[in-house]
């Protein structure tokens, strides 16, 4: 509009046009002014007038108690009221400033300041403020309702009968409960030290203390440290022993005239004191006092705020629904409880506990329960697993023992099968020995010098004797009780050891038997006897297999060697072979394709082979024979072998 | 003439074979050893008295097979089996096949020598019989057909007259043939003739 107006102004510069544009501008301006007026009128008419509130504090602006109280007050007043309320805050700054002269200056200041904006409600916080207002009321703000806050009942009682428009909830600032608590929590205490200051306010507190402490006189020795310089106070406190407790409301001024916030004084005292410190104000909690029984300043402020709110609503002060007195609550600093070793059971359940870090258990109860449940379960699982392990171990032991027994039984059975050839193997050398001995006898009888021949005879006898004992020895090791060994040995040597037995047996049965051992070291780690047992078993099986076939097929060939990384023992026969339907079950126990066979040999063989980490398998086309292959791991890795001189 | 007998020891066990040879030689026998039946059969058949000591279980043809082979070749050496097994079935089979004896190793020398002596005796007698049979065969082969017929008749116990009648000859001719035969055969009496003919017949049957 502005632009078009301007353009109108610019374009139409002729007389009639100019007149028209001037007229337009005037009308626009008028419209805008009307609008503004209307708006202002709107605002003015729709909003109620703001209520002026004067909040007069007894002490300084930054007194912690004031800040807490103000917080409570504003909570109670709420946001709605806040829009209708225009608060002003004034501070008497007692005890720093006091006396009639100051008061009259201050009253004059208030009067002048609020002449044009007289407060419609006054909130007097603290005894000093209340008494000041009461004194100067008629002068300053006659007939303005006053809400008092943070004033003790005893003080109220000491004032002359208050008019109906001075209302408020008294706060219980008595010290009794605090002192009672202190003595209860420290049953060994014999001395009660009470520290107060030098200002007028401090004197009032001292008077209150003196009156309230009389009833404790029979329990403890009461000592007052009053109006002393701070240094003296601190020194006295530091010399206290475990038989003392200290109570102080703090002080505003000490004996030297130095001025404090009570909290500051208490902080210093708590740091120096060797005895536990108790105080009656919530603002002391956290600076080193153990605790005390006190009304919360915030609650005080809140109560005042509620009363104020009712007045704001228009209730006549005389008809106010007054809240009860702001009661005391026990507050305690947990850190101090721990410090002084106070019995936690003595702390009542409704006490407000500060600075207590919830124990891990309390903070994370659910998690803790879950965790402990987990731990218990885990423990149970571990125990269960351990039991399982023990059971399994013992089962394995039993199984191993049984297997060894079975292996031995099988060996004995095999030895039984081999008796013919065993007898032969032994009888050969025995026969030679006997005939040699007989020959020697005859030679001796014939006389003459044939010593050379006799020497040969004796040498032969010795050799044959050793031969026979070799047979017996290898037989003994085969037949003896034998537990699974795990030792290095040469597979080729082991095979050759039983060659003569097998050869003799083969001859007995009219079977051709060959043993081909690769002429290289064949080291492995395992059980020598068991491997021999497996070899004998397979060889005898082979001989059984060729029992009924024509002579050119009556042969069993054994090869021992090292194809590749592992070692192999191969037993081949040219019998009828194994039918496909038998092959899968061949190594099962009690499965036999022989008439009268128990079917244990191959299953034992497989057990023994697998116990050494090997595998046994069979190939057969079902007609021209079978090949049994035993593969084993070579055991020369990591074995140091002494190089034999070439 | 007397060729001393030769004992053949066939056993693949070197040690035992050596010991047996030693023993036999110490005892005064002549002996020779062979490691297998094949080695033994490679020798030309000897016409020397002796016997064979044979291990029952040998590589290649068994002892029993050798026994059969020997018989087949007409080498009549008696066989003694030695075995380290003591297997009953084999022993029965061996004896049925005509083995002289079946000894178990280790063998006591007395047992061995007795068996050997028995075998050698058998061998000697067999030889004698064989020689005699040979000689008889020659002598009888020298007879003519007619002479032979006459001898057969007389050996049967017939009188001259009966033989003449049987053969369709004159009695005088019979007597003539008889005289010639007796001279060829080297006998002097009819009884001797009969005995000789009988022996011949028996030996031929063996």
């Amino acid at each position: 509009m502005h632009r078009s107006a301007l353009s109108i102004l610019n374009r139409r510069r002729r007389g009639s046009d100019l007149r028209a544009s001037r007229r337009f501008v005037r009308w626009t301006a008028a419209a805008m002014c009307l609008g503004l007026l209307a708006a202002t009128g709107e605002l003015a008419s729709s909003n109620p007038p703001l209520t002026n509130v004067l909040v007069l504090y007894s002490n300084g602006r930054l007194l912690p108690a004031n800040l807490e109280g103000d917080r409570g007050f504003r909570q109670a007043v709420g946001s709605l009221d806040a829009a209708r309320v225009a608060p002003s805050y004034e501070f008497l700054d007692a005890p720093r400033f006091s006396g009639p002269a100051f008061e009259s200056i201050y009253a004059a200041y208030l009067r002048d300041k609020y002449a044009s904006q007289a407060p419609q409600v006054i909130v007097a916080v603290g005894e000093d403020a209340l008494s000041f207002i009461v004194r100067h009321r008629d002068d300053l703000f006659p007939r303005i309702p006053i809400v008092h806050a943070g004033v003790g009942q005893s003080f109220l009682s000491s004032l002359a009968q208050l008019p109906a428009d001075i209302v408020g909830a008294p706060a219980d600032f008595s010290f009794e409960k605090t002192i009672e608590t202190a003595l209860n929590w420290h049953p060994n205490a014999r001395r009660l030290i009470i520290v107060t200051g030098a200002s007028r306010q401090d004197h009032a507190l001292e008077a209150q203390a003196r009156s309230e402490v009389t009833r404790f006189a029979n329990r403890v020795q009461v000592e007052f440290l009053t109006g002393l310089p701070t240094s003296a106070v601190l020194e006295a406190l530091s010399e206290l022993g475990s038989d003392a407790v200290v109570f102080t409301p703090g002080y505003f001024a000490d004996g030297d005239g130095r001025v404090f916030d009570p909290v500051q004084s208490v902080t210093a005292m708590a740091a120096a004191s060797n005895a536990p410190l108790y105080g009656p104000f919530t603002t002391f909690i956290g600076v080193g006092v153990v605790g005390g029984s006190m009304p919360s300043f915030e609650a005080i402020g809140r109560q005042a705020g509620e009363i104020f709110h009712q007045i704001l609503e228009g209730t006549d002060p005389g008809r106010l629904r007054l809240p009860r007195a702001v009661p005391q609550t026990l507050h305690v600093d947990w850190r101090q409880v721990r410090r002084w070793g106070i019995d936690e059971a003595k702390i009542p359940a409704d006490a407000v506990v500060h600075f207590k870090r919830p124990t891990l258990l309390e903070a994370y109860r659910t998690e803790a329960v879950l965790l402990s449940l987990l731990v218990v379960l885990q423990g149970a699982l571990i125990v269960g697993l351990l039991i399982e392990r023990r059971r399994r171990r013992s089962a394995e032991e039993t199984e191993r023992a049984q297997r060894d027994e079975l292996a031995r039984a099988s060996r004995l059975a095999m030895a039984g099968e081999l008796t013919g050839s065993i007898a032969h193997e032994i009888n050969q050398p025995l026969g030679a020995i006997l005939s040699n001995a007989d020959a020697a006898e005859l030679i001796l009888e014939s006389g003459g010098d044939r010593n050379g021949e006799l020497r040969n005879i004796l040498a032969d006898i010795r050799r044959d004797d050793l031969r026979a004992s070799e047979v017996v020895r290898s037989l003994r090791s085969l037949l003896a009780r034998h537990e699974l060994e795990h030792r290095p040995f040469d597979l080729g040597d082991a095979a050759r050891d039983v060659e003569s037995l097998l050869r003799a047996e083969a001859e007995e049965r009219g079977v051709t038997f060959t043993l081909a051992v690769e002429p290289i070291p064949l080291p492995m780690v395992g059980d020598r006897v068991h491997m021999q047992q497996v070899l004998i078993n397979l060889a005898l099986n082979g001989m059984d297999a060729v029992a009924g076939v024509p002579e050119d097929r009556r042969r069993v060939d054994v090869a021992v060697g090292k194809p590749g990384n592992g070692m192999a023992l191969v037993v081949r026969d040219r019998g009828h072979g194994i039918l496909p339907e038998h092959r899968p079950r061949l190594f099962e126990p009690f499965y036999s394709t022989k008439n009268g066979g128990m079917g244990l040999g191959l299953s034992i063989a497989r057990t023994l082979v697998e116990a050494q980490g090997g595998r046994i398998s069979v190939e057969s086309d079902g007609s021209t024979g079978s090949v049994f292959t035993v593969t084993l791991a070579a055991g020369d890795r990591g074995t140091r072998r002494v190089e034999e001189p070439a | 003439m007397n060729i001393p007998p030769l004992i053949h020891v066939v056993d693949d066990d070197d040690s035992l074979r050596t010991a047996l040879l030693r023993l036999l030689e110490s005892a005064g026998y002549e002996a020779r050893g062979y490691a297998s039946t094949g080695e033994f059969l490679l020798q030309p058949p000897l016409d020397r008295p002796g016997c064979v000591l044979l291990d029952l279980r040998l590589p290649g043809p068994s002892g029993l097979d050798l026994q059969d082979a020997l018989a087949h070749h007409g080498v009549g050496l008696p066989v003694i089996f030695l075995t380290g097994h003591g297997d009953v079935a084999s022993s029965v089979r061996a004896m049925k096949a005509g083995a002289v004896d079946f000894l178990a190793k280790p063998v006591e020398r007395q047992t061995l020598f007795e068996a050997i002596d028995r075998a050698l005796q058998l061998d000697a007698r067999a030889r004698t019989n064989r020689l005699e049979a040979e000689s008889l065969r020659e002598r009888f082969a020298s007879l003519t057909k007619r002479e032979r017929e006459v001898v057969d008749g007389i050996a049967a116990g017939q009188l001259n007259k009966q033989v003449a009648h049987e053969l369709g000859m004159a009695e005088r001719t019979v007597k003539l043939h008889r005289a010639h035969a007796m001279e060829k055969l080297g006998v002097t009496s009819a009884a001797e003739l009969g005995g000789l003919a009988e022996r011949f017949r028996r030996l031929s049957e063996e």
Side-chain angles (χ1 to χ4, degrees):
Chain A
M1 185 170 146
H2 183 63
R3 214 183 296 134
S4 58
L6 264 173
S7 66
I8 291 172
L9 282 167
N10 284 336
R11 270 195 228 142
R12 300 189 177 189
R13 289 245 164 96
R14 296 194 206 132
S16 62
D17 292 324
L18 200 59
R19 242 197 329 271
S21 66
R22 244 195 247 131
R23 223 182 301 146
F24 178 75
V25 168
R26 232 183 263 135
W27 284 355
T28 315
M32 276 160 60
C33 285
L34 267 172
L36 258 170
L37 271 168
T40 321
E42 271 287 312
L43 272 168
S45 61
S46 69
N47 283 346
L50 286 175
T51 308
N52 289 335
V53 181
L54 171 60
V55 183
L56 180 64
Y57 284 94
S58 297
N59 307 107
R61 179 172 75 87
L62 292 175
L63 193 73
N66 292 344
L67 297 174
E68 275 190 30
D70 181 58
R71 192 160 57 231
F73 183 82
R74 279 188 285 112
Q75 269 178 26
V77 164
S79 56
L80 273 170
D81 289 351
R84 298 150 46 185
V85 165
S88 307
Y89 299 93
E90 298 294 342
F91 301 88
L92 274 175
D93 230 342
R96 205 166 150 206
F97 298 92
S98 61
F102 166 69
E103 279 198 24
S104 61
I105 294 173
Y106 202 76
Y109 153 72
L110 286 179
R111 188 180 27 219
D112 290 343
K113 181 173 176 183
Y114 291 97
S116 55
Q117 296 183 54
Q120 285 130 312
V121 181
I122 295 175
V123 180
V125 182
E127 290 167 5
D128 287 306
L130 181 59
S131 49
F132 172 85
I133 283 294
V134 164
R135 276 198 288 279
H136 298 273
R137 184 187 191 192
D138 297 328
D139 191 27
L140 289 175
F141 313 111
R143 291 184 301 283
I144 303 294
I146 297 171
V147 179
H148 66 78
V151 177
Q153 182 59 56
S154 52
F155 181 78
L156 286 173
S157 313
S158 71
L159 291 176
Q161 178 73 23
L162 287 175
D165 57 355
I166 298 183
V167 292
D172 182 2
F173 280 123
S174 66
F175 301 152
E176 273 179 358
K177 294 215 193 75
T178 301
I179 296 174
E180 178 73 52
T181 305
L183 295 181
N184 187 20
W185 288 1
H186 302 273
N188 295 333
R190 292 282 156 263
R191 299 163 64 194
L192 173 63
I193 316 294
I194 301 186
V195 181
T196 56
S199 75
R200 183 182 48 75
Q201 208 158 347
D202 294 326
H203 287 148
L205 290 168
E206 180 196 337
Q208 179 185 348
R210 281 192 194 274
S211 71
E212 291 191 39
V213 93
T214 47
R215 65 186 194 82
F216 299 108
N218 58 342
R219 284 163 67 175
V220 284
Q221 179 188 324
V222 180
E223 298 162 30
F224 273 84
L225 296 177
T226 314
L228 292 174
T230 305
S231 53
V233 168
L234 297 183
E235 199 182 316
L237 289 181
S238 69
E239 285 166 3
L240 290 175
S242 60
D243 61 340
V245 289
V246 181
F247 172 83
T248 178
Y251 48 76
F252 290 94
D254 72 351
D256 286 337
R258 282 167 64 196
V259 171
F260 300 88
D261 273 342
V263 177
Q264 289 169 329
S265 67
V266 169
T267 308
M269 281 191 266
S273 173
N274 239 1
L277 210 64
Y278 286 80
F281 300 119
T282 52
T283 42
F284 292 174
I285 302 294
V287 299
V289 301
V290 179
S293 204
M294 53 204 77
S296 130
F297 290 112
E298 210 174 299
I300 291 171
R302 208 170 15 250
Q303 295 281 24
E306 281 167 19
I307 299 169
F308 168 79
H309 177 76
Q310 289 181 55
I311 294 179
L312 207 60
E313 292 297 312
T315 315
D316 179 47
R319 303 220 186 128
L320 276 176
R321 196 177 21 94
L322 278 180
R324 60 196 184 287
V326 181
Q328 288 190 336
T329 318
L330 182 58
H331 291 253
V332 63
D333 182 345
W334 189 257
R335 300 173 303 184
Q336 296 299 320
V337 168
R338 301 290 280 276
R339 178 182 170 193
W340 297 107
I342 294 167
D343 183 3
E344 292 172 25
K346 288 189 176 171
I347 303 174
D350 58 355
V352 177
V353 177
H354 298 260
F355 302 107
K356 184 179 183 185
R357 286 250 177 86
T359 59
L360 271 177
L361 200 58
E362 287 161 4
Y364 297 101
R365 179 173 290 279
T366 322
E367 289 85 341
V369 168
L370 278 175
L371 197 65
S372 33
L373 205 62
L374 253 170
V375 170
V376 165
L377 278 175
Q378 197 168 17
L381 187 67
I382 289 174
V383 167
L385 284 174
L386 280 175
I387 292 178
E388 253 321 290
R389 187 170 87 146
R390 174 132 37 113
R391 228 185 273 155
R392 182 161 49 90
R393 285 263 178 88
S394 102
E396 278 176 0
E397 280 294 319
T398 314
E399 194 207 347
R400 200 188 348 256
Q402 279 179 347
R403 187 180 55 205
D404 286 343
E405 273 306 306
L406 198 56
R408 174 154 182 260
S410 160
R411 279 204 300 284
L412 289 174
M414 274 193 320
E417 277 186 60
L418 292 171
T419 32
S421 44
I422 290 170
H424 180 268
E425 282 300 289
I426 293 181
N427 283 335
Q428 290 288 94
L430 286 182
I433 289 171
L434 183 54
S435 298
N436 271 323
D438 283 338
E441 206 170 26
L442 288 176
I443 289 173
L444 282 173
E445 275 173 21
S446 74
D449 177 25
R450 293 166 77 177
N451 282 355
E453 228 176 310
L454 287 173
R455 241 190 291 277
N456 288 343
I457 289 175
L458 288 175
D460 284 351
I461 287 177
R462 163 185 282 109
R463 189 194 60 218
D464 282 326
D465 187 288
L466 293 174
R467 211 173 103 198
S469 80
E470 239 330 280
V471 175
V472 173
R473 186 200 60 78
S474 63
L475 207 56
R476 278 239 320 268
S477 77
L478 207 58
L479 294 179
R481 276 220 156 70
H482 178 84
E483 278 171 13
L484 185 65
E485 276 184 352
H486 200 73
R487 294 223 211 111
F489 67 95
D490 188 288
L491 188 59
D493 288 343
R496 278 188 277 256
D497 254 9
V498 296
E499 183 183 359
S500 55
L501 270 176
L502 287 173
R503 189 175 299 288
E505 183 61 27
E507 284 171 11
E508 174 100 10
R509 302 175 185 220
V511 173
T512 308
F513 175 79
T514 68
L515 172 65
V517 177
E518 217 177 308
I520 56 169
L522 297 171
M524 65 171 278
V525 178
D527 191 304
R528 190 174 204 269
V529 169
H530 283 177
M531 283 314 302
Q532 288 175 326
Q533 187 173 348
V534 169
L535 171 54
I536 294 173
N537 190 318
L538 293 176
L540 289 180
N541 278 357
M543 293 188 212
D544 288 337
V546 301
V549 300
E551 199 200 318
D552 60 334
R553 277 170 65 175
R554 272 213 298 275
R555 53 182 304 131
V556 172
D557 303 295
V558 178
V560 182
K562 200 169 170 184
N565 270 342
M567 288 203 287
L569 178 85
V570 183
V571 179
R572 177 197 301 273
D573 71 72
R574 300 282 160 85
H576 291 300
I578 297 162
L579 294 170
E581 59 255 29
H582 292 142
R583 231 168 342 124
R585 304 187 56 190
L586 208 59
F587 294 95
E588 276 178 31
F590 304 112
Y591 188 85
S592 169
T593 58
K594 291 189 236 185
N595 279 339
M598 263 216 305
L600 281 178
L602 280 178
S603 97
I604 290 177
R606 178 167 74 167
T607 307
L608 295 178
V609 166
E610 286 178 356
Q612 309 190 51
R615 284 191 61 244
I616 184 168
S617 60
V618 61
E619 279 169 40
S620 174
D621 62 2
S623 62
T624 59
S626 315
V627 179
F628 283 82
T629 310
V630 175
T631 46
L632 300 150
D636 57 353
R637 281 177 233 140
T639 318
R640 214 88 71 70
R641 306 192 75 237
V642 178
E643 291 297 323
E644 296 189 31
Chain B
M1 59 172 178
N2 243 349
I3 312 171
L6 178 62
I7 304 173
H8 308 269
V9 180
V10 187
D11 195 318
D12 64 329
D13 187 319
D14 297 341
S15 176
L16 180 57
R17 192 177 63 247
T18 310
L20 283 172
L21 292 174
R22 268 199 200 116
L23 177 58
L24 292 171
E25 279 162 7
S26 319
Y29 296 98
E30 208 173 311
R32 198 177 294 173
Y34 313 85
S36 66
T37 54
E39 207 181 306
F40 178 65
L41 288 172
L42 280 175
Q43 308 269 324
L46 296 167
D47 193 17
R48 182 172 169 177
C51 66
V52 184
L53 269 182
L54 202 44
D55 186 287
L56 196 57
R57 292 276 172 256
L58 288 166
S62 71
L64 289 168
D65 297 332
L66 178 57
Q67 192 183 29
D68 293 342
L70 288 174
H72 194 261
H73 278 104
V75 179
L77 287 174
V79 170
I80 300 171
F81 278 111
L82 288 175
T83 180
H85 292 271
D87 177 18
V88 174
S90 303
S91 69
V92 167
R93 189 175 145 208
M95 296 312 285
K96 279 189 178 168
V100 171
D101 218 331
F102 197 88
L103 303 176
K105 302 181 209 178
V107 60
E108 296 247 27
R109 73 169 185 247
Q110 213 45 49
T111 316
L112 183 63
F113 295 158
E114 281 171 11
I116 288 175
D117 289 339
R118 205 163 43 242
L120 291 178
Q121 272 175 28
L122 279 174
D123 181 64
R125 199 167 69 219
R127 259 169 220 287
T128 317
N129 285 351
R130 236 191 333 270
L131 281 173
E132 196 189 331
E134 196 53 43
S135 143
L136 281 176
R137 217 184 334 269
E138 275 177 24
R139 281 194 264 172
F140 271 85
S142 65
L143 294 176
T144 67
K145 179 166 173 282
R146 272 313 197 184
E147 285 165 354
R148 184 64 195 276
E149 285 171 349
V150 167
V151 166
D152 285 341
I154 295 173
Q158 288 174 344
L159 295 169
N160 289 348
K161 198 184 303 200
Q162 286 164 306
V163 174
H165 178 68
E166 208 66 30
L167 294 175
M169 295 176 197
E171 201 177 333
R172 191 173 32 117
T173 320
V174 167
K175 279 203 208 148
L176 194 66
H177 285 314
R178 187 172 132 175
H180 281 160
M182 279 170 69
E183 198 186 317
K184 279 186 187 175
L185 291 175
V187 295
T188 48
S189 71
E192 256 188 276
L193 180 64
L196 199 70
E198 182 57 36
R199 269 240 300 293
F200 177 63
R201 192 177 53 75
R202 231 178 334 120
L203 282 173
S204 307
E205 280 168 10
E206 274 177 11

